Amino acid sequence: MLNKYARAFFTRVLTPFAAFLIRRGVSPDAVTFIGTAGVVAGALVFFPRGEFFWGTIVITLFVFSDLIDGNMARQLGRSSRWGAFLDSTLDRVADSAIFGGLALWYAGSGDNNILCAVSIFCLASGQVVSYTKARGEAIGLPVAVNGLVERAERLVITLVAAGLAGLHKFGVPGIDVLLPIALWAVAVGSLVTLIQRVVTVRKESAEADAATDAQAQESEATS
């Protein structure tokens, strides 16, 4: 849902910065790698220590690279299958680092095995949600469903909650409860989205198979 509205807005906002990087000779692939490295560092250095506020700040500074690299590629007229593949692959790496960092916190100093498991579920379900769409499209189906909680929603919900929860260390009482609530929300939303996509792929595959069978029968009848 957020992809539809937020992406267009931030693309317009970041276009001048993307043009600046192009003038400096920076390539879209370099932005992709640097952005992913920044997100991974922010997540795995700060989150396992419970430094959610600063970790979120670092991650947020780099997470917009996902929009900047694509913007640069379009301005350069270099949109390619390789760029799309690299971007999608490194998105999965960044997402894994974020939820992996949270899982490490709850497995260690956070001392909450249930929330550790929820974090791992968020990590795994996010990967599977992305895979279902990619696999469905790979077998020729449109997978015409957005789903309740996609990547943008997962990141926004989790990072906003983590950043606010980090204010607990600055003396804001009770605000740390936001992160567990967000993780549960992302877990449930991801499960619903996974079910939506599986149901959609099942429906579309049945329709495609029926159309193929009908064409085969028509071909036999006319031969």
Side-chain angles (χ1 to χ4, degrees), residues 100-188:
L102 294 173
L104 287 172
W105 161 251
Y106 286 117
S109 300
D111 194 23
N112 192 317
N113 288 336
I114 292 177
L115 289 177
C116 176
V118 173
S119 299
I120 293 173
F121 180 83
C122 289
L123 188 162
S125 60
Q127 307 302 311
V128 177
V129 164
S130 297
Y131 175 80
T132 53
K133 186 173 181 65
R135 182 57 181 158
E137 291 174 343
I139 59 176
L141 301 175
V143 195
V145 59
N146 289 324
L148 180 64
V149 176
E150 297 186 301
R151 183 173 187 258
E153 286 84 2
R154 291 196 300 271
L155 289 181
V156 170
I157 292 171
T158 303
L159 292 178
V160 169
L164 292 175
L167 295 176
H168 179 72
K169 288 199 171 185
F170 294 91
V172 180
I175 201 167
D176 51 327
V177 73
L178 290 178
L179 183 55
I181 292 173
L183 288 173
W184 278 107
V186 170
V188 172

Side-chain angles (χ1 to χ4, degrees), residues 4-173:
K4 183 177 179 181
Y5 303 104
R7 182 172 288 270
F9 170 76
F10 283 111
T11 296
R12 289 194 299 270
V13 171
L14 295 171
T15 293
F17 183 62
F20 169 79
L21 292 177
I22 291 172
R23 290 194 299 271
R24 293 293 179 179
V26 180
S27 71
D29 286 353
V31 172
T32 304
F33 279 114
I34 292 171
T36 302
V39 171
V40 170
L44 296 183
V45 171
F46 291 96
F47 281 2
R49 298 186 299 167
E51 297 288 347
F52 298 127
F53 178 79
W54 294 114
T56 300
I57 293 297
V58 173
I59 291 169
T60 302
L61 289 174
F62 287 97
V63 78
F64 286 107
S65 65
D66 188 45
L67 297 177
I68 295 172
D69 55 6
N71 192 310
M72 292 172 65
R74 285 189 293 273
Q75 291 189 47
L76 291 168
R78 294 183 187 170
S79 296
S80 64
R81 291 182 177 86
W82 161 250
F85 169 81
L86 180 66
D87 190 55
S88 180
T89 299
L90 293 184
D91 281 349
R92 307 287 84 76
V93 174
D95 294 356
S96 297
I98 291 170
F99 289 105
L102 294 173
L104 287 172
W105 161 251
Y106 286 117
S109 300
D111 194 23
N112 192 317
N113 288 336
I114 292 177
L115 289 177
C116 176
V118 173
S119 299
I120 293 173
F121 180 83
C122 289
L123 188 162
S125 60
Q127 307 302 311
V128 177
V129 164
S130 297
Y131 175 80
T132 53
K133 186 173 181 65
R135 182 57 181 158
E137 291 174 343
I139 59 176
L141 301 175
V143 195
V145 59
N146 289 324
L148 180 64
V149 176
E150 297 186 301
R151 183 173 187 258
E153 286 84 2
R154 291 196 300 271
L155 289 181
V156 170
I157 292 171
T158 303
L159 292 178
V160 169
L164 292 175
L167 295 176
H168 179 72
K169 288 199 171 185
F170 294 91
V172 180

